[in-house]
Amino acid sequence: LSFPPDLMEALQALNFVPTYPALGYVLLSSGLLGLPLALQAVATPGGPFRTRMAGIQGLLLAASIIALTLLKGNSLFVWHVVGMSFGVFALQPAALHAILARRSCKDVEERKNRVNQHKFLQIAVLGSVFMGFLAIYKNKPAGFPGKHFMSVHSLVGLAALLLMGWNMLDAAYRQGSPIDPRLLWSSWLHRSAGTLAFTLSFSAAALGLFNRTVVVDWAASSIRFELPETWNEMNGWAKSTHGE
């Protein structure tokens, strides 16, 4: 089979993540789905002022981190930062605002629209952060646990990812049929797990930006958790990109 040169150039442009281009396809899909919805969520009238401002600030923060990170080159680590920043900072606050804004909607269809915003934003979040996770996982030597999950940053991030995945499955179960979903439901458990996932993901992102303190060595003969003396020194990605 032969393809037109323009099409081949377009296909090559999609392979922007080194070694594992499929990760780029996932990130691109999450971006095409999530970014318009995030902008719509914060621009649509209604909902708490504070979460709207958080959504706007999250978009600006993500844009800043991603732009400065991409200046560092093209590597799996760079795409880890891009995927996590986009999912956590750009999309999550907008998803939170969308679901809280449904309370200010008097019309049933408006409430459903807000719930759909939240649902598809969270799908985009999940795609983006799991792409970021796989990028950093593949960036390290093979083996489990090996060199993985040695820092507070990675352990907190793993907990956030597991909660996100569980909450997505919980929501899919509660809405029932994907063709004719039940959108207007509430659950204390779903809300609590979502709040905890939101908090943990922001904490993991902050820890990665501040420093990535190693607290355990899984290869040691005696495995124990220790907090090094340098735990409070700033040496994370924020210093690498933004300076002191």
Side-chain angles (χ1 to χ4, degrees):
L1 291 175
S2 60
F3 298 96
D6 291 345
L7 178 58
M8 290 301 297
E9 289 182 13
L11 291 174
Q12 286 296 323
L14 291 175
N15 297 335
F16 51 86
V17 174
T19 312
Y20 302 98
L23 297 182
Y25 307 156
V26 175
L27 180 61
L28 182 61
S29 300
S30 297
L32 292 174
L33 173 64
L35 186 56
L37 283 173
L39 294 172
Q40 183 186 38
V42 299
T44 303
F49 175 77
R50 288 184 298 177
T51 54
R52 184 190 306 279
M53 289 298 101
I56 294 171
Q57 291 169 7
L59 286 163
L60 294 174
L61 175 61
S64 169
I65 294 174
I66 290 171
L68 291 170
T69 298
L70 289 174
L71 292 176
K72 292 293 182 177
N74 188 12
S75 65
L76 287 175
F77 184 84
V78 162
W79 290 106
H80 164 69
V81 178
V82 171
M84 290 301 185
S85 298
F86 184 65
V88 172
F89 294 133
L91 302 185
Q92 271 203 137
L96 174 63
H97 177 69
I99 200 63
L100 293 179
R102 83 191 190 284
R103 299 174 182 173
S104 63
C105 300
K106 297 180 181 179
D107 183 72
V108 173
E109 289 305 315
E110 288 180 7
R111 288 200 294 273
K112 288 183 177 180
N113 286 336
R114 281 298 198 176
V115 173
N116 269 325
Q117 279 181 352
H118 173 77
K119 179 172 76 172
F120 287 109
L121 275 167
Q122 286 299 143
I123 291 172
V125 168
L126 208 61
S128 183
V129 297
F130 270 97
M131 173 271 172
F133 166 74
L134 288 173
I136 197 64
Y137 192 88
K138 292 295 185 180
N139 189 53
K140 294 183 178 180
F144 181 85
K147 296 296 183 180
H148 306 286
F149 312 118
M150 297 173 64
S151 66
V152 181
H153 163 67
S154 61
L155 292 170
V156 173
L158 177 62
L161 286 175
L162 292 174
L163 273 172
M164 285 182 189
W166 184 89
N167 229 25
M168 183 65 70
L169 293 174
D170 176 63
Y173 171 77
R174 293 178 187 278
Q175 77 166 14
S177 169
I179 299 174
D180 185 23
R182 184 171 67 93
L183 296 175
L184 301 180
W185 54 269
S186 62
S187 164
W188 176 87
L189 180 62
H190 182 81
R191 184 168 59 252
S192 299
T195 301
L196 184 56
F198 185 93
T199 304
L200 288 175
S201 64
F202 265 79
S203 300
L207 286 165
L209 290 170
F210 184 74
N211 67 30
R212 296 180 296 279
T213 301
V214 174
V215 293
V216 63
D217 182 2
W218 300 111
S221 56
S222 177
I223 296 174
R224 59 182 180 180
F225 289 83
E226 291 182 317
L227 194 64
E229 293 182 359
T230 58
W231 68 270
N232 61 343
E233 294 181 6
M234 186 174 186
N235 58 6
W237 194 240
K239 184 177 179 180
S240 301
T241 55
H242 293 68
E244 296 185 9

